[in-house]
């Protein structure tokens, strides 16, 4: 038995340097979402250090912007895009030049399963990053890869968001033999096909 808690690429304290985050980088966040994910990481570390003898191995997994069919959440680029297309209105985009590590949900889930299997064997790290193999792309490039998308940039000052998010997945690749099977364009195409 083992337990894997999934947080986010937004768990890291983003200093704006633009380099991909490593598992040992400082946690934190300037917005409530990021802070909540960092708090989850701290809670997991506390449980692990306080109750290690009474509980199964416990670790965290951090993934980038996961896309794929079946997501209908609000304030997420793909579901918002699909709703806008269905309504025949332009998609409102907060930050078209922000870069994000978009990756397909099935690649990420495969990584999580490999991780929890290794965790149950007792020889896994306490946290791993799972990011796309071809790095991050701009939101506007995701929209271009999707196809015929009418969009407009939100006017005024949008909520705080980091301009760049990127993950270094070297530990997952070396330790688990994991790497995404789909590159970002194919992940976007598969997601579009599902919708």
């Amino acid at each position: 038995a083992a337990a894997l808690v999934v947080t986010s690429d937004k768990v890291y304290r983003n200093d704006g340097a633009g380099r991909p985050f490593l598992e040992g980088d400082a946690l934190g966040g300037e917005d409530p979402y990021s802070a909540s994910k960092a708090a989850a990481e701290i809670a997991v570390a506390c449980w692990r250090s306080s109750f290690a003898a009474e509980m199964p191995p416990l670790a965290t997994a951090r993934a980038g912007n996961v896309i794929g069919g079946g997501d209908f959440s609000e304030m997420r680029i793909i579901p918002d895009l699909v709703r806008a297309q269905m309504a025949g209105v332009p998609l409102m985009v907060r930050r078209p030049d922000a870069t994000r590590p978009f990756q397909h949900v099935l690649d990420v889930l495969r990584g999580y399963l490999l991780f929890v299997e290794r965790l149950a064997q007792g020889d896994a790290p306490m946290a791993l990053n799972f990011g796309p193999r071809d790095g991050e792309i701009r939101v506007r490039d995701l929209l271009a890869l999707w196809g015929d998308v009418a969009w407009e940039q939100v006017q005024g000052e949008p909520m705080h968001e980091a301009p760049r998010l990127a993950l270094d997945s070297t530990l997952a690749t070396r330790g688990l033999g994991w790497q995404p099977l789909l590159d970002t364009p194919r992940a976007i195409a598969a997601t579009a096909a599902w919708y």
Side-chain angles (χ1 to χ4, degrees), residues 17 33 38 42-43 46 68-69 88 96 112 116-117 121 123 131 148 154 157 159 180-181 191:
Y33 181 84
I42 292 167
C46 290
Y112 293 168
V116 78
E117 182 178 60
Q121 294 170 1
D123 64 344
D148 188 25
V154 172
E157 185 60 33
M159 66 181 181
L181 300 177
T191 302

PDB file of all heavy atoms in Angstrom, residues 17 33 38 42-43 46 68-69 88 96 112 116-117 121 123 131 148 154 157 159 180-181 191:
ATOM      1  N   ALA A  17      12.110  33.820 -12.679  1.00  0.00           N
ATOM      2  CA  ALA A  17      13.362  33.570 -13.391  1.00  0.00           C
ATOM      3  C   ALA A  17      13.129  32.807 -14.697  1.00  0.00           C
ATOM      4  O   ALA A  17      13.946  32.861 -15.602  1.00  0.00           O
ATOM      5  CB  ALA A  17      14.343  32.805 -12.508  1.00  0.00           C
ATOM      6  N   TYR A  33      -4.657  29.937  -4.947  1.00  0.00           N
ATOM      7  CA  TYR A  33      -4.544  28.590  -5.501  1.00  0.00           C
ATOM      8  C   TYR A  33      -3.155  28.013  -5.236  1.00  0.00           C
ATOM      9  O   TYR A  33      -3.009  26.893  -4.737  1.00  0.00           O
ATOM     10  CB  TYR A  33      -4.851  28.598  -7.001  1.00  0.00           C
ATOM     11  CG  TYR A  33      -4.773  27.226  -7.619  1.00  0.00           C
ATOM     12  CD1 TYR A  33      -5.860  26.365  -7.560  1.00  0.00           C
ATOM     13  CD2 TYR A  33      -3.614  26.785  -8.255  1.00  0.00           C
ATOM     14  CE1 TYR A  33      -5.798  25.091  -8.119  1.00  0.00           C
ATOM     15  CE2 TYR A  33      -3.543  25.522  -8.813  1.00  0.00           C
ATOM     16  CZ  TYR A  33      -4.636  24.684  -8.741  1.00  0.00           C
ATOM     17  OH  TYR A  33      -4.564  23.425  -9.285  1.00  0.00           O
ATOM     18  N   ALA A  38       0.742  24.537  -2.026  1.00  0.00           N
ATOM     19  CA  ALA A  38       1.931  24.468  -1.166  1.00  0.00           C
ATOM     20  C   ALA A  38       1.548  23.988   0.225  1.00  0.00           C
ATOM     21  O   ALA A  38       2.274  23.202   0.848  1.00  0.00           O
ATOM     22  CB  ALA A  38       2.613  25.830  -1.108  1.00  0.00           C
ATOM     23  N   ILE A  42       2.989  20.792   2.401  1.00  0.00           N
ATOM     24  CA  ILE A  42       3.488  20.894   3.782  1.00  0.00           C
ATOM     25  C   ILE A  42       2.737  19.917   4.680  1.00  0.00           C
ATOM     26  O   ILE A  42       3.349  19.246   5.528  1.00  0.00           O
ATOM     27  CB  ILE A  42       3.372  22.348   4.286  1.00  0.00           C
ATOM     28  CG1 ILE A  42       4.346  23.240   3.505  1.00  0.00           C
ATOM     29  CG2 ILE A  42       3.631  22.434   5.789  1.00  0.00           C
ATOM     30  CD1 ILE A  42       4.106  24.726   3.685  1.00  0.00           C
ATOM     31  N   ALA A  43       1.428  19.798   4.504  1.00  0.00           N
ATOM     32  CA  ALA A  43       0.648  18.856   5.306  1.00  0.00           C
ATOM     33  C   ALA A  43       1.115  17.419   5.073  1.00  0.00           C
ATOM     34  O   ALA A  43       1.279  16.648   6.029  1.00  0.00           O
ATOM     35  CB  ALA A  43      -0.842  18.997   4.978  1.00  0.00           C
ATOM     36  N   CYS A  46       4.372  16.877   6.863  1.00  0.00           N
ATOM     37  CA  CYS A  46       4.163  16.768   8.312  1.00  0.00           C
ATOM     38  C   CYS A  46       3.615  15.398   8.701  1.00  0.00           C
ATOM     39  O   CYS A  46       4.062  14.799   9.682  1.00  0.00           O
ATOM     40  CB  CYS A  46       3.216  17.862   8.788  1.00  0.00           C
ATOM     41  SG  CYS A  46       3.936  19.507   8.738  1.00  0.00           S
ATOM     42  N   GLY A  68      -7.272  17.081 -21.663  1.00  0.00           N
ATOM     43  CA  GLY A  68      -7.819  15.828 -22.154  1.00  0.00           C
ATOM     44  C   GLY A  68      -9.325  15.888 -22.081  1.00  0.00           C
ATOM     45  O   GLY A  68      -9.895  16.785 -21.464  1.00  0.00           O
ATOM     46  N   GLY A  69      -9.982  14.965 -22.700  1.00  0.00           N
ATOM     47  CA  GLY A  69     -11.426  14.957 -22.716  1.00  0.00           C
ATOM     48  C   GLY A  69     -12.025  14.782 -21.340  1.00  0.00           C
ATOM     49  O   GLY A  69     -11.422  14.187 -20.459  1.00  0.00           O
ATOM     50  N   GLY A  88     -20.868  30.122 -29.770  1.00  0.00           N
ATOM     51  CA  GLY A  88     -20.621  31.008 -30.901  1.00  0.00           C
ATOM     52  C   GLY A  88     -20.109  32.379 -30.504  1.00  0.00           C
ATOM     53  O   GLY A  88     -20.345  33.371 -31.195  1.00  0.00           O
ATOM     54  N   PRO A  96      -2.596  35.692 -23.171  1.00  0.00           N
ATOM     55  CA  PRO A  96      -2.278  34.861 -24.345  1.00  0.00           C
ATOM     56  C   PRO A  96      -0.799  34.527 -24.487  1.00  0.00           C
ATOM     57  O   PRO A  96      -0.451  33.520 -25.106  1.00  0.00           O
ATOM     58  CB  PRO A  96      -2.773  35.691 -25.525  1.00  0.00           C
ATOM     59  CG  PRO A  96      -2.900  37.074 -25.010  1.00  0.00           C
ATOM     60  CD  PRO A  96      -3.172  36.977 -23.551  1.00  0.00           C
ATOM     61  N   TYR A 112       1.728   8.817 -12.658  1.00  0.00           N
ATOM     62  CA  TYR A 112       1.271   8.637 -11.277  1.00  0.00           C
ATOM     63  C   TYR A 112       1.236   7.161 -10.897  1.00  0.00           C
ATOM     64  O   TYR A 112       1.623   6.784  -9.786  1.00  0.00           O
ATOM     65  CB  TYR A 112      -0.128   9.217 -11.089  1.00  0.00           C
ATOM     66  CG  TYR A 112      -0.247  10.714 -11.217  1.00  0.00           C
ATOM     67  CD1 TYR A 112      -1.502  11.300 -11.311  1.00  0.00           C
ATOM     68  CD2 TYR A 112       0.862  11.553 -11.240  1.00  0.00           C
ATOM     69  CE1 TYR A 112      -1.648  12.676 -11.423  1.00  0.00           C
ATOM     70  CE2 TYR A 112       0.732  12.920 -11.363  1.00  0.00           C
ATOM     71  CZ  TYR A 112      -0.534  13.476 -11.451  1.00  0.00           C
ATOM     72  OH  TYR A 112      -0.683  14.831 -11.560  1.00  0.00           O
ATOM     73  N   VAL A 116       3.319   5.531  -7.823  1.00  0.00           N
ATOM     74  CA  VAL A 116       2.741   4.891  -6.643  1.00  0.00           C
ATOM     75  C   VAL A 116       3.187   3.429  -6.545  1.00  0.00           C
ATOM     76  O   VAL A 116       3.377   2.901  -5.438  1.00  0.00           O
ATOM     77  CB  VAL A 116       1.198   5.054  -6.612  1.00  0.00           C
ATOM     78  CG1 VAL A 116       0.490   4.095  -7.542  1.00  0.00           C
ATOM     79  CG2 VAL A 116       0.676   4.961  -5.194  1.00  0.00           C
ATOM     80  N   GLU A 117       3.403   2.791  -7.689  1.00  0.00           N
ATOM     81  CA  GLU A 117       3.929   1.427  -7.669  1.00  0.00           C
ATOM     82  C   GLU A 117       5.324   1.403  -7.044  1.00  0.00           C
ATOM     83  O   GLU A 117       5.618   0.578  -6.178  1.00  0.00           O
ATOM     84  CB  GLU A 117       3.970   0.881  -9.097  1.00  0.00           C
ATOM     85  CG  GLU A 117       4.459  -0.544  -9.204  1.00  0.00           C
ATOM     86  CD  GLU A 117       4.429  -1.035 -10.637  1.00  0.00           C
ATOM     87  OE1 GLU A 117       5.104  -0.427 -11.495  1.00  0.00           O
ATOM     88  OE2 GLU A 117       3.735  -2.028 -10.886  1.00  0.00           O
ATOM     89  N   GLN A 121       6.833  -0.041  -3.242  1.00  0.00           N
ATOM     90  CA  GLN A 121       8.018  -0.900  -3.101  1.00  0.00           C
ATOM     91  C   GLN A 121       9.015  -0.325  -2.092  1.00  0.00           C
ATOM     92  O   GLN A 121       9.953  -0.999  -1.704  1.00  0.00           O
ATOM     93  CB  GLN A 121       8.694  -1.075  -4.454  1.00  0.00           C
ATOM     94  CG  GLN A 121       7.869  -1.829  -5.459  1.00  0.00           C
ATOM     95  CD  GLN A 121       8.461  -1.772  -6.865  1.00  0.00           C
ATOM     96  OE1 GLN A 121       9.506  -1.179  -7.100  1.00  0.00           O
ATOM     97  NE2 GLN A 121       7.765  -2.395  -7.810  1.00  0.00           N
ATOM     98  N   ASP A 123      11.049   2.462  -2.467  1.00  0.00           N
ATOM     99  CA  ASP A 123      12.280   3.098  -2.938  1.00  0.00           C
ATOM    100  C   ASP A 123      12.015   4.264  -3.886  1.00  0.00           C
ATOM    101  O   ASP A 123      12.635   4.387  -4.929  1.00  0.00           O
ATOM    102  CB  ASP A 123      13.201   2.071  -3.592  1.00  0.00           C
ATOM    103  CG  ASP A 123      12.606   1.459  -4.855  1.00  0.00           C
ATOM    104  OD1 ASP A 123      11.394   1.590  -5.076  1.00  0.00           O
ATOM    105  OD2 ASP A 123      13.381   0.860  -5.631  1.00  0.00           O
ATOM    106  N   GLY A 131       6.011  16.675 -16.321  1.00  0.00           N
ATOM    107  CA  GLY A 131       5.793  17.738 -17.292  1.00  0.00           C
ATOM    108  C   GLY A 131       5.888  17.214 -18.710  1.00  0.00           C
ATOM    109  O   GLY A 131       6.337  16.091 -18.942  1.00  0.00           O
ATOM    110  N   ASP A 148      -9.574  26.604 -35.569  1.00  0.00           N
ATOM    111  CA  ASP A 148     -10.294  27.852 -35.797  1.00  0.00           C
ATOM    112  C   ASP A 148     -10.933  28.337 -34.494  1.00  0.00           C
ATOM    113  O   ASP A 148     -12.071  27.980 -34.175  1.00  0.00           O
ATOM    114  CB  ASP A 148     -11.362  27.632 -36.874  1.00  0.00           C
ATOM    115  CG  ASP A 148     -12.019  28.924 -37.293  1.00  0.00           C
ATOM    116  OD1 ASP A 148     -11.393  29.997 -37.142  1.00  0.00           O
ATOM    117  OD2 ASP A 148     -13.172  28.870 -37.759  1.00  0.00           O
ATOM    118  N   VAL A 154      -8.740  39.588 -22.482  1.00  0.00           N
ATOM    119  CA  VAL A 154      -9.479  40.289 -21.436  1.00  0.00           C
ATOM    120  C   VAL A 154      -8.835  41.658 -21.233  1.00  0.00           C
ATOM    121  O   VAL A 154      -7.604  41.768 -21.128  1.00  0.00           O
ATOM    122  CB  VAL A 154      -9.449  39.479 -20.117  1.00  0.00           C
ATOM    123  CG1 VAL A 154     -10.043  40.279 -18.967  1.00  0.00           C
ATOM    124  CG2 VAL A 154     -10.144  38.153 -20.294  1.00  0.00           C
ATOM    125  N   GLU A 157      -6.819  44.740 -15.806  1.00  0.00           N
ATOM    126  CA  GLU A 157      -5.822  43.962 -15.073  1.00  0.00           C
ATOM    127  C   GLU A 157      -6.411  42.611 -14.667  1.00  0.00           C
ATOM    128  O   GLU A 157      -7.271  42.540 -13.798  1.00  0.00           O
ATOM    129  CB  GLU A 157      -5.365  44.723 -13.828  1.00  0.00           C
ATOM    130  CG  GLU A 157      -4.256  44.049 -13.062  1.00  0.00           C
ATOM    131  CD  GLU A 157      -2.973  43.839 -13.873  1.00  0.00           C
ATOM    132  OE1 GLU A 157      -2.662  44.680 -14.739  1.00  0.00           O
ATOM    133  OE2 GLU A 157      -2.292  42.827 -13.654  1.00  0.00           O
ATOM    134  N   MET A 159      -6.465  38.712 -13.040  1.00  0.00           N
ATOM    135  CA  MET A 159      -5.931  38.190 -11.774  1.00  0.00           C
ATOM    136  C   MET A 159      -4.457  37.823 -11.927  1.00  0.00           C
ATOM    137  O   MET A 159      -3.990  37.558 -13.032  1.00  0.00           O
ATOM    138  CB  MET A 159      -6.751  36.989 -11.323  1.00  0.00           C
ATOM    139  CG  MET A 159      -6.646  35.781 -12.210  1.00  0.00           C
ATOM    140  SD  MET A 159      -7.699  34.484 -11.547  1.00  0.00           S
ATOM    141  CE  MET A 159      -7.380  33.201 -12.710  1.00  0.00           C
ATOM    142  N   PRO A 180       6.367  11.348 -21.344  1.00  0.00           N
ATOM    143  CA  PRO A 180       5.094  11.398 -22.064  1.00  0.00           C
ATOM    144  C   PRO A 180       5.194  10.716 -23.424  1.00  0.00           C
ATOM    145  O   PRO A 180       6.220  10.803 -24.095  1.00  0.00           O
ATOM    146  CB  PRO A 180       4.835  12.899 -22.233  1.00  0.00           C
ATOM    147  CG  PRO A 180       5.669  13.554 -21.188  1.00  0.00           C
ATOM    148  CD  PRO A 180       6.860  12.674 -21.009  1.00  0.00           C
ATOM    149  N   LEU A 181       4.124  10.054 -23.826  1.00  0.00           N
ATOM    150  CA  LEU A 181       4.073   9.433 -25.138  1.00  0.00           C
ATOM    151  C   LEU A 181       3.602  10.424 -26.200  1.00  0.00           C
ATOM    152  O   LEU A 181       3.955  10.293 -27.365  1.00  0.00           O
ATOM    153  CB  LEU A 181       3.146   8.210 -25.107  1.00  0.00           C
ATOM    154  CG  LEU A 181       3.553   7.104 -24.135  1.00  0.00           C
ATOM    155  CD1 LEU A 181       2.526   5.985 -24.150  1.00  0.00           C
ATOM    156  CD2 LEU A 181       4.941   6.579 -24.468  1.00  0.00           C
ATOM    157  N   THR A 191      -7.184  15.927 -27.480  1.00  0.00           N
ATOM    158  CA  THR A 191      -8.179  16.599 -26.644  1.00  0.00           C
ATOM    159  C   THR A 191      -9.274  17.202 -27.506  1.00  0.00           C
ATOM    160  O   THR A 191     -10.471  17.044 -27.221  1.00  0.00           O
ATOM    161  CB  THR A 191      -7.498  17.681 -25.784  1.00  0.00           C
ATOM    162  OG1 THR A 191      -6.478  17.063 -24.999  1.00  0.00           O
ATOM    163  CG2 THR A 191      -8.501  18.374 -24.883  1.00  0.00           C
TER     164      THR A 191
END
